[in-house]
C-alpha cells in the first residue's frame, strides 16, 4: 500500500505516465456489448506505421516503462508485430489485450520467445454461456484455444482479463481456478458506462450486494490484479492494494487509433481530449503542457462528497463512471457503496453522448480462427 505522501505526489502528475494505454485500431472481429470504444470498424484516419513509430520514439525518450496496447483487436493491424518489436527494441515493455482469436501456435511461440511482452486474454465468464452473451458466439472457445496455445508454448504468467459483471461475480472462484489451470494470473476490471457499455451498464453492473462480495473476495486475494479499478470499494472500510486514486492525466492516459490523446482510457469524449500526437510538439508536449492535464493535476474539490467520512478512502470514485452517467465529476460515484450515487441516478440525469461509434452496422457472427 502506498503512503499518503506518495499518493499526493502522484496526484500532481509525473514527468511521464506510469502506464500509457494505446488503442492500435478500432477494427474488431467481435462486438462486445460493453466495449468502451464501440469498436468494430477500422477508422481510415489511423496512425500510419511511420507515425506510430515516431510516437514510440517519443515514449522511449520520456522513459515510459511500458505501454498497454488494446483496441479493437490490436492484432488485426497489419503492422502489429512490427510496432510491438519497435517498442521492445527501444526498451519499452508491451502488454497487449486480445480476444485470442489470432493467437495460434506460431503466434504463441513467437510471444514465448520474446522479452518484455505480456499478454492479456479477455473473457467475461467462466463458461461459454456467460461469456458469449457479452462477447459473442464462439468467443469463449477461441479464448480457451489461445490459452492452450500459450500454455503449450511455455508462456507462463499471461493474464486472463475479466470485466466484473453481475453475471460473473458468482463465478470468481471458477475464474480463479481457470487461471490456475493455465498458470496464468487473473485480472479483474470494473465495468464502465462508456462506449457500448453506456447502453448495457445498468443491466450488467454488479448489484450493491455483489460489490460487497467482490470487495471481500479481493481482500482475501491480493495476488489478483485489478489495475486499481475498484478503489471506490475502499469506502467499505478496508482499502484494496494499489494506488486507490484516479490517475487520469496524472499517471495514466490514452492514445486512440487516430492519435487523439485522452486523460483516461475510459473517457473517450471531447471533454477529456487533450489534443493529438499529430499536433506540434507531439505526445510529450501534451503530457507536459496540456491545459486539461494541468486542470486534473490541481487539487480537486470533494464537492458533494465533502461531508462523507469515507471520501479520503475512495476519493469520490471513478471520473469516467460519473461523467457518462450524467453525475457531476466532483460528486459521488454512481456505484458509491454508501448509496449516495444511487440517489442521484434516480433523478434521471442527462447523460452525455459518447464519441464516434465504430460498431458494425449489423450484429456479426464470431469471425476468429479456431
Amino acid at each position: 500500500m502506498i503512503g499518503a505522501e506518495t499518493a499526493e505526489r502522484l496526484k500532481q502528475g509525473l514527468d511521464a505516465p506510469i502506464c500509457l494505454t494505446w488503442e492500435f485500431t478500432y477494427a474488431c472481429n467481435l462486438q462486445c456489448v460493453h466495449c468502451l470504444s464501440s469498436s468494430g470498424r477500422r477508422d481510415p484516419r489511423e496512425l500510419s506505421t511511420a507515425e506510430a513509430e515516431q510516437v514510440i520514439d517519443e515514449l522511449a525518450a520520456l522513459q515510459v516503462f511500458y505501454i498497454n496496447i488494446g483496441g479493437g483487436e490490436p492484432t488485426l493491424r497489419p503492422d502489429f508485430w512490427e510496432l510491438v518489436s519497435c517498442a521492445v527494441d527501444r526498451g519499452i515493455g508491451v502488454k497487449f489485450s486480445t480476444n485470442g482469436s489470432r493467437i495460434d501456435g506460431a503466434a504463441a511461440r513467437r510471444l514465448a520467445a520474446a522479452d518484455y511482452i505480456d499478454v492479456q486474454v479477455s473473457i467475461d465468464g467462466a463458461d461459454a454461456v456467460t461469456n458469449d452473451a457479452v462477447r459473442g458466439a464462439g468467443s469463449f472457445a477461441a479464448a480457451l484455444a489461445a490459452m492452450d496455445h500459450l500454455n503449450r508454448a511455455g508462456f507462463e504468467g499471461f493474464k486472463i482479463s475479466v470485466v466484473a459483471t453481475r453475471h460473473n461475480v458468482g463465478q470468481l472462484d471458477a475464474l480463479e481456478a481457470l487461471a490456475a489451470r493455465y498458470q496464468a494470473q487473473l485480472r479483474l476490471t470494473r465495468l464502465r458506462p462508456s462506449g457500448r457499455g453506456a447502453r448495457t451498464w445498468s443491466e450488467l453492473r454488479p448489484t450493491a450486494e455483489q460489490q460487497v462480495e467482490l470487495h471481500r473476495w479481493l481482500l482475501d486475494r491480493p495476488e489478483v490484479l485489478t489495475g486499481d479499478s475498484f478503489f471506490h470499494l475502499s469506502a467499505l472500510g478496508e482499502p484494496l492494494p494499489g494506488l486507490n486514486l484516479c490517475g487520469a492525466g496524472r499517471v495514466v492516459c490514452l492514445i486512440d487509433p487516430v492519435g487523439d490523446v485522452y486523460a483516461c482510457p475510459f473517457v473517450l469524449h471531447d471533454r477529456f481530449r487533450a489534443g493529438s500526437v499529430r499536433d506540434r510538439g507531439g505526445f510529450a508536449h501534451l503530457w507536459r503542457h496540456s491545459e486539461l492535464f494541468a486542470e486534473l493535476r490541481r487539487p480537486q474539490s470533494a464537492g458533494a462528497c465533502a461531508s462523507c467520512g469515507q471520501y479520503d478512502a475512495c476519493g469520490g470514485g471513478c471520473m469516467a463512471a460519473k461523467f457518462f452517467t450524467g453525475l457531476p465529476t466532483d460528486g459521488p460515484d454512481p456505484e458509491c457503496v454508501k448509496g449516495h450515487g444511487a440517489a442521484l441516478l434516480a433523478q434521471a440525469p442527462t447523460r452525455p453522448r459518447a464519441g464516434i461509434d465504430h460498431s458494425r452496422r449489423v450484429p456479426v457472427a464470431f469471425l476468429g480462427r479456431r
Side-chain angles (χ1 to χ4, degrees), residues 233-290:
L233 298 181
S234 295
L236 287 169
E238 190 171 349
L240 297 170
L243 297 179
N244 283 304
L245 58 85
C246 173
R250 303 177 179 100
V251 297
V252 301
C253 68
L254 173 136
I255 301 174
D256 81 353
V258 301
D260 288 338
V261 179
Y262 294 88
C264 168
F266 310 114
V267 284
L268 302 187
H269 189 277
D270 284 347
R271 166 66 180 86
F272 297 99
R273 179 183 177 275
S276 170
V277 297
R278 287 168 165 153
D279 295 341
R280 185 175 182 180
F283 176 82
H285 180 81
L286 289 175
W287 181 258
R288 291 168 175 163
H289 303 293
S290 161

Side-chain angles (χ1 to χ4, degrees), residues 123-126 130 162-172 175 210:
I123 59 172
D124 287 317
T130 306
V162 180
V163 177
T165 72
R166 70 180 57 178
H167 304 300
N168 64 27
V169 167
Q171 299 180 334
L172 291 176
L175 288 164
Q210 288 177 323

